[in-house]
Amino acid sequence: MKVKNPGKGGAGFLIFLVWLVYATSYLGKVNYSANITQIIDFYQVTKAEAGLPPTFFFFAYGVGQVVNGLLCKRYPIKLTIFVSLTLSSLLNLTIAVSSDFGIVKWLWLANGFALSLLWPTLIRLLSESLATSELGKSSVVVGTTVACGTLAAYALGALFAFLNRFKLSFYAAAFADLLVAGIWLFSYQKATNMALIQKAREDAPEEKETANAGSKASGTMTKPVILSIVFLCLFAIVTNLVKDGLTTWVPSVLKEEYALPDAIAILLTLILPIVAIFGNALALAVHKKIPDYITHSCVCFAAISGILGVILWSLGAKIMAAMLVGLILTNLLASSINSLISSIYPMFMRKQLNSGMFAGILNGFCYLGSTISSYGLGSVADKHGWFGVFWLLLGVCLFCCVIWLIYVILRSVVTGKAKSPVN
């Protein structure tokens, strides 16, 4: 990238613009899940059937993340983000005006492919444009996008459920995506130029060469880094199985187990994304104490396992307050692992790997877990109830703790010492 129109600049505008784009995309990404209880009633479908569109979405999104992670270096960033948001807007609008449930899963599949362009392209943009001093701030700010976008989607879902007009969620997403696409188109160049000016002013020439997360970095990966990526891909699947499983199905759990109205169930679910806003900050704080990314993740999985045990107890005892507290803490920890894997790791490791590429690949594995969470957990709930769902989640989290032991052994073999290979 070349800096145009030199002058006083800063990274804040670009970070905000990236935050706005990705947070807004969630209005047209999780609005289906936010309204799944009304969708089940409106179309008269089973939980497994209602879970198919999110499954199609997550599959397309996950595959698209990997593909776009590999190819994003060739994309024109300005046009790519505009096209992604515009396509998502049109697909949401189509669902809003259609009454045929049969086409929803195909439209949501296309929506997944369209939105999969965003994350690797945006991480590539930040990695190439930001000064080293701005990486921590950008990670914290951009790390709140998922929680903020999900919060907005569920807040609108609760409002439209109260009005008995759930399709307004799809109209709202269509309008917001198109509006932000326009803002992006007219603001991109100025925001990027300002960030590049600061980067050129602050970063030393030798640091700029390696900080540009491109072809040179991708060729210097060490064996310990490759090992960490393999295990992070596995942990990414489990993380989003838990995180998006809760986001999708908690309204149904509250409705069925505690006989709450749809609007109240969705409103209570809003607590999850509110708390998840702090997931990135929690991940950064824990990372300072536990610099090894795999060990960090395992500690969180161990904590989640204990909390899921409490959730199972509260479900049997019908104590809703304990259930909610457990769900909130589980979502916070899962969100922090998600931020660690999909945002903090590729950004902080930009001198050793291609940030855009591995942000896409790692996020792709996250969404493999999301794919399983929608249809898979809905199917388990149909056959074994919500007890079966939470026992399954407990089992996969404990499995991650066992896998960590294998990582410790392999790390010792690769490095010849037990000390963490990456910081």
Side-chain angles (χ1 to χ4, degrees), residues 19-39 57-58 88 92 108 111 115 144-162 165-174 176-177 244 247-248 251 262-263 265-274 277 367:
W19 181 93
L20 180 64
V21 167
Y22 204 67
T24 302
S25 73
Y26 264 73
L27 293 179
K29 180 188 294 186
V30 302
N31 50 344
Y32 181 97
S33 298
N35 293 279
I36 199 166
T37 56
Q38 296 96 71
I39 288 170
F57 176 94
F58 291 138
S88 182
N92 271 274
W108 227 227
N111 193 34
L115 291 177
T144 67
T145 52
V146 175
C148 290
T150 302
L151 172 62
Y154 273 79
L156 290 173
L159 172 62
F160 297 144
F162 176 76
R165 294 288 187 274
F166 77 90
K167 285 205 170 188
L168 289 176
S169 289
F170 295 94
Y171 282 110
D177 281 347
D244 285 333
T247 302
T248 300
D262 287 335
I266 298 174
L267 198 60
L268 287 175
T269 307
L270 280 175
I271 302 173
L272 271 64
I274 290 175
I277 291 174
Y367 277 90

Side-chain angles (χ1 to χ4, degrees), residues 228-250:
S228 69
I229 291 171
V230 171
F231 279 85
L232 286 175
C233 286
L234 177 61
F235 285 175
I237 298 172
V238 177
T239 297
N240 271 38
L241 173 63
V242 175
K243 182 178 75 69
D244 285 333
L246 294 180
T247 302
T248 300
W249 292 114
V250 163

Side-chain angles (χ1 to χ4, degrees), residues 42-180:
F42 181 82
Y43 292 106
Q44 292 297 294
V45 294
T46 66
K47 296 184 187 73
E49 289 171 329
L52 268 179
T55 297
F56 274 50
F57 176 94
F58 291 138
F59 172 78
Y61 193 86
V63 172
Q65 286 280 296
V66 176
V67 172
N68 291 316
L70 294 172
L71 300 178
C72 70
K73 195 68 179 173
R74 303 180 180 181
Y75 294 167
I77 296 176
K78 180 178 180 180
L79 181 61
T80 299
I81 302 303
F82 175 78
V83 168
S84 174
L85 290 175
T86 302
L87 287 175
S88 182
S89 173
L90 294 174
L91 291 164
N92 271 274
L93 182 61
T94 303
I95 292 177
V97 300
S98 173
S99 59
D100 181 9
F101 184 74
I103 68 169
V104 172
K105 59 180 177 290
W106 302 111
L107 293 170
W108 227 227
L109 179 80
N111 193 34
F113 275 119
L115 291 177
S116 70
L117 289 162
L118 292 178
W119 186 250
T121 308
L122 292 173
I123 292 297
R124 170 199 159 192
L125 172 64
L126 292 176
S127 179
E128 292 179 351
S129 304
L130 295 184
T132 303
S133 63
E134 297 293 330
L135 287 180
K137 181 173 73 175
S138 69
S139 178
V140 171
V141 174
V142 176
T144 67
T145 52
V146 175
C148 290
T150 302
L151 172 62
Y154 273 79
L156 290 173
L159 172 62
F160 297 144
F162 176 76
L163 298 174
N164 199 27
R165 294 288 187 274
F166 77 90
K167 285 205 170 188
L168 289 176
S169 289
F170 295 94
Y171 282 110
F175 172 77
D177 281 347
L178 197 59
L179 176 63
V180 173

Side-chain angles (χ1 to χ4, degrees), residues 297-360:
S297 300
C298 180
V299 169
C300 292
F301 281 125
I304 291 173
S305 298
I307 296 169
L308 286 170
V310 175
I311 290 175
L312 283 163
W313 167 79
S314 64
L315 190 61
K318 296 294 182 182
I319 302 177
M320 188 172 68
M323 162 73 78
L324 280 174
V325 171
L327 292 172
I328 291 166
L329 292 176
T330 299
N331 191 61
L332 173 63
L333 289 168
S335 296
S336 74
I337 303 174
N338 178 271
S339 292
L340 180 77
I341 294 173
S342 64
S343 177
I344 294 172
Y345 181 82
M347 288 286 286
F348 282 26
M349 296 289 289
R350 70 179 186 172
K351 295 181 181 179
Q352 291 149 284
L353 49 80
N354 185 319
S355 294
M357 177 188 295
F358 283 97

Side-chain angles (χ1 to χ4, degrees), residues 235 238 242 298 301-306 308-309 391-405:
F235 285 175
V238 177
V242 175
C298 180
F301 281 125
I304 291 173
S305 298
L308 286 170
W391 274 114
L392 175 62
L393 296 179
L394 174 59
V396 296
C397 288
L398 290 175
F399 173 73
C400 288
C401 296
V402 175
I403 288 296
W404 173 78
L405 296 175

